[in-house]
Amino acid sequence: MRNPHEATAALEIASRTPLENLLPTFAKWSAWVAPDGDLEDAIDAMGEHLGETEGGYRFFQTLAILYWRLGDRELSIEYFHRCLRPASGLSAEIQQTEAEYATYDYDHISIHRDTVAAFMEFAPEWLAQCSGGTLIDAACGSGLAAPALKPYAGTLIGIDISSTMATRAQASGLYDQVIEADMVTTLTAKPASADIIVCMGAAYYLADLAPFMTACATALRPGGLLLFSDYSAPDHMGTGITFGGTRRYCRSKAHLRALAAHAGLSEAGLGSGIAFASPSLYWAFRRTG
């Protein structure tokens, strides 16, 4: 077996290869790590050696991105699932400190711009259905998505718990209102006030997504839409959490659909893309009643 850390480093380099050269580059890596031709066994052996460590996370996350770029979405998500452990017994929300936000040049880091761009490949079909209404950008951050959302909104409202991010969003001049507060609390206090709620790249902070789903159902007018991104977990896991990198809560499709149904939301659409360098699901739910 090749040294797993060397193999991971080589894989990370290969994963950044231009798309037109990606397949032959990956083939060379595969031949190097599995000279006997059994790539799956070689990957399993390296994964077992690395275990639930930062190195193991990097290895499987990179495989997930590489297979996504090669067009094998199913295998990509399968490898991402190997970055997770069950989240049972965990209740604390993942948090970043205000100091981190204050020193983080959020808008000029490509991974954030790419995440918004990928989500906006999915969202316009649904945004157009509520064009000209009240749109809430929940966990709006610095307002990076506002230029893409503004054309669909008669009124654009941003919510973020971070004072640093809320100030940046307000300074963009694109929001009609920015509220510095917890999004679940704020949405609960605004019954039947929104035509559409968008939340990209924030649901993974929440160990339990039920209060968020219920709050969105409360804030939406009948027929209103909720669009958000969330990472997937295998069906048997229900809710998982990544064991490396930025900690992310992830939910199985079945579990998330059950949460939505309980909140009074019906599934309208499902897409996928890359969010913060990991395969992500994009959900569209409509408020019933």
Side-chain angles (χ1 to χ4, degrees), residues 4-24:
H5 298 287
E6 292 178 1
T8 300
L11 183 65
E12 288 175 332
I13 294 170
S15 72
R16 295 191 290 269
T17 302
L19 189 58
E20 61 269 20
N21 298 320
L22 184 58
L23 187 57

Side-chain angles (χ1 to χ4, degrees), residues 44-236:
D44 287 345
M46 289 185 194
E48 184 175 349
H49 179 84
L50 290 166
E52 291 187 0
T53 64
E54 189 66 32
Y57 174 81
R58 284 176 52 211
F59 179 62
F60 284 115
Q61 185 200 32
T62 305
L63 277 170
I65 291 297
L66 193 147
Y67 275 105
W68 188 277
R69 294 190 65 209
L70 288 171
D72 193 334
R73 304 293 172 85
E74 185 175 343
L75 192 54
S76 171
I77 291 175
E78 180 181 318
Y79 280 126
F80 176 72
H81 287 170
R82 295 179 71 171
C83 298
L84 312 181
R85 64 164 67 105
S88 57
L90 297 173
S91 59
E93 294 179 3
I94 302 166
Q95 297 181 357
Q96 287 182 275
T97 67
E98 197 64 32
E100 289 177 302
Y101 282 130
T103 58
Y104 195 39
D105 192 8
Y106 194 93
D107 291 3
H108 296 96
I109 296 175
S110 61
I111 193 171
H112 298 292
R113 297 195 304 270
D114 292 347
T115 294
V116 172
F119 186 84
M120 288 306 299
E121 291 180 9
F122 164 78
E125 173 187 356
W126 310 104
L127 292 170
Q129 295 183 25
C130 298
S131 184
T134 298
L135 192 160
I136 295 179
D137 185 5
C140 65
S142 62
L144 191 58
L149 298 176
K150 184 68 172 177
Y152 298 96
T155 301
L156 181 60
I157 299 171
I159 305 171
D160 204 277
I161 198 169
S162 161
S163 61
T164 298
M165 290 300 193
T167 299
R168 291 178 185 174
Q170 187 69 63
S172 73
L174 295 172
Y175 292 93
D176 297 284
Q177 181 185 15
V178 176
I179 302 169
E180 180 191 329
D182 172 74
M183 64 179 175
V184 172
T185 302
T186 303
L187 291 169
T188 302
K190 297 174 72 68
S193 62
D195 297 290
I196 192 160
I197 298 170
V198 173
C199 182
M200 62 181 86
Y204 69 76
Y205 286 117
L206 306 175
D208 180 7
L209 207 58
F212 168 76
M213 301 294 278
T214 300
C216 288
T218 298
L220 285 169
R221 298 185 176 107
L225 285 164
L226 165 63
L227 308 180
F228 72 102
S229 60
D230 197 34
Y231 296 105
S232 77
D235 286 339
H236 71 270

